[in-house]
Amino acid sequence: KMERVSVPIPAMRNKKLVLVGTPLVAALIGYSANLFLLQEPVDQVLKQSSSFAGMEVSAHYQYWVVPGVVVYDLRNISMRQTPIDVHTAFLEFAKKVKDKRYSRIELSYKGTTKFSIDGDSFRKIGDEYAKKNYDYVLYTVPRLFRAEDHAQNPVAGTSGLDPLLQFHKQWYGDDALTRTVANGL
């Protein structure tokens, strides 16, 4: 038969420190992981070419804490950027992190998720871009993404350079600064 036994708990004078310190340390570790594992490679890519000047990208884990899902958020682009500049910056990021395993990558514009791709396809994008397979990264990559509203591929049925332009129009082309993209350059 089970008996209830009282066990005295020692007085903890520093319990406030434990209650406040633990979440603070966890938040600091999470912020550092986002900064060093994702944002730092993006910053290196954006600094390597003058054609990326004025482009702002935030790369972080989903909700800043889900390590299997990466959010590539295009925060701002300047009037100078063309769709190929934005595409190249994304490809350079894929090449930099191609050795890491993720379950999904989401493409966002100003915090709104527009597309997603599975982690294996993202790795292949990085590998093919590193091998300079430009046919793959220009013509096939736009067809790999799925619209966030779970519709079919947004560029299905288009040919030539149309899939790339259509993809970029749907990603960020409805913004006032990107009217040239929306109008087909």
Side-chain angles (χ1 to χ4, degrees):
K1 184 175 174 183
M2 300 287 278
E3 288 185 32
R4 199 175 268 192
V5 178
S6 63
V7 177
I9 298 175
M12 290 181 25
R13 293 184 303 173
N14 296 331
K15 64 182 167 186
K16 287 182 184 177
L17 179 64
V18 171
L19 292 176
V20 172
T22 302
L24 187 62
V25 169
L28 186 60
I29 290 170
Y31 175 77
S32 299
N34 281 289
L35 181 66
F36 293 119
L37 299 177
L38 296 173
Q39 189 61 46
E40 187 62 31
V42 167
D43 290 343
Q44 290 171 357
V45 165
L46 296 179
K47 289 177 187 174
Q48 77 185 17
S49 175
S50 62
S51 64
F52 303 145
M55 188 185 307
E56 293 177 28
V57 177
S58 171
H60 54 85
Y61 294 119
Q62 187 180 35
Y63 308 117
W64 298 89
V65 294
V66 181
V69 180
V70 174
V71 177
Y72 184 89
D73 189 9
L74 184 61
R75 304 300 283 165
N76 191 25
I77 57 174
S78 72
M79 297 292 263
R80 300 175 31 170
Q81 265 87 45
T82 63
I84 201 70
D85 293 332
V86 175
H87 197 68
T88 302
F90 176 71
L91 295 172
E92 287 287 339
F93 173 69
K95 184 172 88 171
K96 274 207 177 287
V97 297
K98 67 181 168 56
D99 296 329
K100 303 206 173 35
R101 294 204 180 270
Y102 303 111
S103 61
R104 187 174 76 240
I105 287 64
E106 296 179 349
L107 288 184
S108 298
Y109 182 62
K110 293 187 176 181
T112 304
T113 301
K114 302 286 185 124
F115 297 102
S116 64
I117 188 170
D118 65 277
D120 291 335
S121 297
F122 181 72
R123 265 185 104 181
K124 184 167 180 163
I125 290 171
D127 288 337
E128 294 299 321
Y129 185 68
K131 294 177 193 173
K132 300 182 193 264
N133 184 352
Y134 299 118
D135 181 51
Y136 181 83
V137 296
L138 290 176
Y139 301 115
T140 305
V141 165
R143 291 181 169 94
L144 297 175
F145 285 90
R146 296 285 174 235
E148 193 55 29
D149 59 7
H150 304 293
Q152 280 298 89
N153 186 320
V155 296
T158 55
S159 62
L161 275 177
D162 291 340
L164 185 62
L165 291 176
Q166 185 68 26
F167 173 71
H168 283 275
K169 282 181 193 178
Q170 292 182 16
W171 182 9
Y172 58 88
D174 59 349
D175 189 86
L177 284 175
T178 59
R179 291 293 179 219
T180 56
V181 175
N183 294 329
L185 299 176

